[in-house]
Amino acid sequence: MRFKIIGFGFLVLFLFSAFSVSAQRRHRRRAPVKKHVPVKAPVPPKVVPMPLLAIKEADLRTDLFALADNHFRGREAGTLDEMKASVWLADQARAAGLKPAGDDGTYFQFFNIRRNRLSPNTRIQVGDSTFQLWQSALIAQTAPGEANAPIIYLGKEDWDNLNTVDLQGKAAAIQVDEEGINLQVSLAERRYPSLVMRKYSAELIKRGAAAIIFIADARAEKSWNQVVPQLKRGLYDLEDGPNAVLTTKLPIFWVHNLAQTFLQTPNLQLNAKIEIEQFDYPSVNIVGKIIGNDPILSKEYVVFSGHQDHDGIRYAYDQDSIYNGADDNATVAVALLAIARAFKEQSGKRSAIFVWHGAEERGLLGSKWFSAHPTVPKKSLVAVLNADMIGRNAPDSAALLGAQSPHRNSQDLVNMALEANKEGTQFKLDTLWDQPNHVEGWYFRSDHLPYARAGIPAIFFTTLLHPDYHTPRDEASRIDIRKLTQMTLWMYRTGAKVANSILRPKLDPNFKLER
């Protein structure tokens, strides 16, 4: 019995042990298996070069709203408003670390602009009726002229029938129309008189007309009040410029459509004398520089170019008559300040020179002056990076003019700009506006042009025109600051490539513009 009891105890102990081991195994099977996850090394933050950090949206916004403010009254060239804006820019250039590079150790390069406008003594008389200047007659061109001639009424003349009409020594009165005129252009109404001139004048002058009287159509009537301010201003040029006054020496003027019946009166005689008066005004380029860090290449310069003036006070839109020119061209004026800060942070091998041109809106006068009278040796100007209007339109698009023939004068410089865009901003580039058949002729309307004509590699950055162009609606509040920043970075990256390249960009051989 004792044996049985002991045997039974061993049996219980064995069964309990077996049960415990089985339970532990089941427990181990149910427990989750911990996987080994390798620890990744921390990713270092992307290092942004210090010069790029110097180009800040906040700075661009602050500067833009200051320069495009009503305080400067549209910065019209040849006025105290342009001078006030110029002093402001010089102060900002100094704060950005630029050294003076104008005349006589200053930031200023002064030059005179000559204004040619119609004299109040201008007289237009048809028969016994006097046509009042600007009210009942608009002089179509700023040029002296005199005519005492019989009027021949042509109506809406078919050019094929002009062979039968003797225009020699006569004043040709013609009813204009827009047929054959491309009106898909900016500011079509304001430009309509000049477009009409191109359509009619050359042929009438060729056939011996002593004067031309344009009878307004509906479009001309609509544009009358808009063109008066620009016609009153006249033409501007440098004081020694060859084109200060147009050379066509015959009266060409507009009359209202209501005068159409009167001009058909038989035996009418035109007695007209158009006189011109001249005034000289000061304008100014603002010029600063940052010296490069290479003892040899620092004697050469990369030129950053823009203009600071705009249209002043003119024809009102929605009760606003101050043309502040936020996009045209305060965007570039403040971009140059930002690029200067970046070069101050880290200079290139070559020096950088910054030129804010005056009187661009009067005919590229500041850039004509500086390209002819640079404040550093002309041969030291390696390339010109010009910009005009860089803050509007689609956020991912832009244009580079001077990038294709016949406008391209340096493939090397173009390649640097395209590489800079690919590396950073990656804008989709519009190529249509750089073509010679584009209706706007945009390549010929900004400050790179005089440099290109002078044989200096030059390109033109822009985000192109928009409906607020040359109206009071071109306000700072409408600028895409982020896009402005990206355009500024693109210009800086391109300039840095030029500044640090061992070889300067070569000129393309046989460069010749179409006009």
Side-chain angles (χ1 to χ4, degrees):
M1 187 70 180
R2 180 181 175 88
F3 173 77
K4 290 182 179 179
I5 292 173
I6 293 173
F8 179 77
F10 277 112
L11 177 64
V12 170
L13 180 61
F14 172 78
L15 292 175
F16 178 79
S17 299
F19 176 81
S20 298
V21 170
S22 176
Q24 289 175 9
R25 287 175 178 172
R26 287 198 303 272
H27 178 72
R28 284 198 297 268
R29 284 199 298 269
R30 289 196 300 269
V33 178
K34 293 183 179 181
K35 295 181 179 180
H36 175 69
V37 179
V39 178
K40 293 183 178 180
V43 178
K46 186 176 181 180
V47 178
V48 179
M50 289 301 293
L52 297 182
L53 294 176
I55 298 174
K56 302 175 183 177
E57 285 188 22
D59 291 342
L60 287 162
R61 180 189 300 275
T62 298
D63 291 343
L64 177 74
F65 274 79
L67 185 57
D69 189 79
N70 285 350
H71 171 72
F72 293 119
R73 293 164 44 92
R75 312 184 303 279
E76 182 172 2
T79 69
L80 289 175
D81 301 317
E82 183 193 31
M83 292 299 162
K84 286 196 301 184
S86 300
V87 171
W88 183 87
L89 276 168
D91 283 344
Q92 300 307 309
R94 181 188 295 109
L98 290 176
K99 293 184 177 181
D103 291 332
D104 304 318
T106 73
Y107 291 97
F108 305 105
Q109 184 192 42
F110 286 96
F111 57 95
N112 278 350
I113 58 177
R114 177 156 293 167
R115 179 185 179 188
N116 299 270
R117 75 176 184 188
L118 293 165
S119 167
N121 295 328
T122 292
R123 181 185 74 255
I124 298 174
Q125 189 165 350
V126 178
D128 295 330
S129 299
T130 298
F131 283 66
Q132 296 296 322
L133 189 59
W134 311 127
Q135 298 175 21
S136 54
L138 293 182
I139 308 301
Q141 60 174 4
T142 305
E146 190 169 0
N148 193 339
I151 294 175
I152 181 169
Y153 177 78
L154 299 177
K156 290 187 177 180
E157 185 57 51
D158 182 351
W159 294 113
D160 294 334
N161 295 329
L162 273 181
N163 290 326
T164 63
V165 180
D166 180 15
L167 295 181
Q168 192 68 40
K170 297 181 176 65
I174 188 164
Q175 176 69 53
V176 306
D177 64 57
E178 60 188 63
E179 183 179 353
I181 297 176
N182 188 348
L183 294 171
Q184 300 304 309
V185 295
S186 59
L187 307 172
E189 287 184 358
R190 263 187 266 170
R191 295 166 70 176
Y192 189 59
S194 63
L195 297 173
V196 168
M197 284 270 290
R198 293 179 194 174
K199 176 180 176 179
Y200 292 102
S201 296
E203 185 67 23
L204 294 172
I205 293 169
K206 177 182 175 182
R207 295 182 181 274
I212 301 173
I213 305 171
F214 290 129
I215 303 169
D217 62 352
R219 184 176 292 277
E221 292 288 0
K222 187 176 180 181
S223 70
W224 190 285
N225 288 334
Q226 293 193 39
V227 302
V228 166
Q230 69 191 53
L231 292 177
K232 279 186 174 181
R233 278 171 168 78
L235 293 179
Y236 294 77
D237 207 335
L238 298 173
E239 59 182 342
D240 57 352
N243 300 313
V245 178
L246 293 177
T247 57
T248 304
K249 305 293 186 180
L250 74 161
I252 302 178
F253 61 95
W254 289 75
V255 297
H256 286 293
N257 189 264
L258 290 174
Q260 180 179 359
T261 301
F262 171 65
L263 289 172
Q264 298 179 55
T265 304
N267 302 319
L268 272 184
Q269 191 81 6
L270 171 67
N271 191 326
K273 185 175 183 180
I274 299 174
E275 297 184 6
I276 302 297
E277 55 187 12
Q278 295 184 328
F279 305 89
D280 286 347
Y281 300 91
S283 187
V284 65
N285 295 323
I286 312 302
V287 193
K289 63 184 177 182
I290 291 178
I291 302 300
N293 56 43
D294 185 276
I296 303 300
L297 293 180
S298 61
K299 297 174 183 178
E300 299 178 342
Y301 293 87
V302 183
V303 182
F304 290 93
S305 158
H307 73 89
Q308 44 124 333
D309 67 309
H310 196 54
D311 275 353
I313 298 176
R314 299 199 174 196
Y315 179 80
Y317 285 66
D318 303 324
Q319 298 183 334
D320 186 359
S321 60
I322 301 178
Y323 288 56
N324 286 315
D327 197 23
D328 186 13
N329 196 31
T331 50
V332 175
V334 302
L336 264 56
L337 290 172
I339 294 169
R341 296 182 191 109
F343 269 88
K344 180 63 177 177
E345 189 70 38
Q346 181 178 315
S347 62
K349 290 182 172 65
R350 290 185 175 87
S351 299
I353 192 164
F354 297 80
V355 188
W356 291 264
H357 298 104
E360 187 268 359
E361 301 290 2
R362 304 282 73 80
L364 315 183
L365 301 186
S367 53
K368 287 179 180 178
W369 184 262
F370 190 86
S371 62
H373 307 89
T375 55
V376 296
K378 184 180 292 188
K379 65 180 181 181
S380 71
L381 302 179
V382 168
V384 174
L385 279 60
N386 178 65
D388 209 332
M389 302 178 62
I390 58 171
R392 294 285 297 267
N393 296 322
D396 62 345
S397 69
L400 182 71
L401 275 66
Q404 54 188 313
S405 295
H407 301 154
R408 187 192 67 225
N409 75 342
S410 174
Q411 184 67 64
D412 289 348
L413 180 57
V414 171
N415 288 344
M416 290 180 183
L418 295 178
E419 289 168 6
N421 182 50
K422 185 177 180 180
E423 292 168 2
T425 45
Q426 299 185 0
F427 284 112
K428 299 174 185 176
L429 299 184
D430 184 313
T431 61
L432 296 178
W433 287 63
D434 198 24
Q435 295 179 4
N437 59 352
H438 196 282
V439 66
E440 290 288 348
W442 191 229
Y443 175 86
F444 292 89
R445 293 163 58 183
S446 194
D447 282 319
H448 61 285
L449 183 63
Y451 296 95
R453 292 197 188 280
I456 302 169
I459 49 176
F460 171 19
F461 299 83
T462 179
T463 55
L464 304 173
L465 301 181
H466 48 76
D468 298 331
Y469 170 66
H470 276 241
T471 75
R473 293 191 293 262
D474 185 6
E475 299 275 9
S477 60
R478 297 174 183 263
I479 299 301
D480 182 341
I481 301 295
R482 178 167 176 74
K483 183 171 186 178
L484 168 59
T485 306
Q486 292 300 303
M487 289 295 292
T488 305
L489 287 166
W490 183 20
M491 286 186 70
Y492 166 75
R493 286 178 181 272
T494 304
K497 286 179 178 295
V498 179
N500 291 302
S501 173
I502 299 302
L503 300 176
R504 59 194 292 168
K506 296 189 298 291
L507 278 169
D508 288 357
N510 304 318
F511 171 66
K512 184 179 180 181
L513 294 171
E514 69 270 24
R515 57 174 165 141

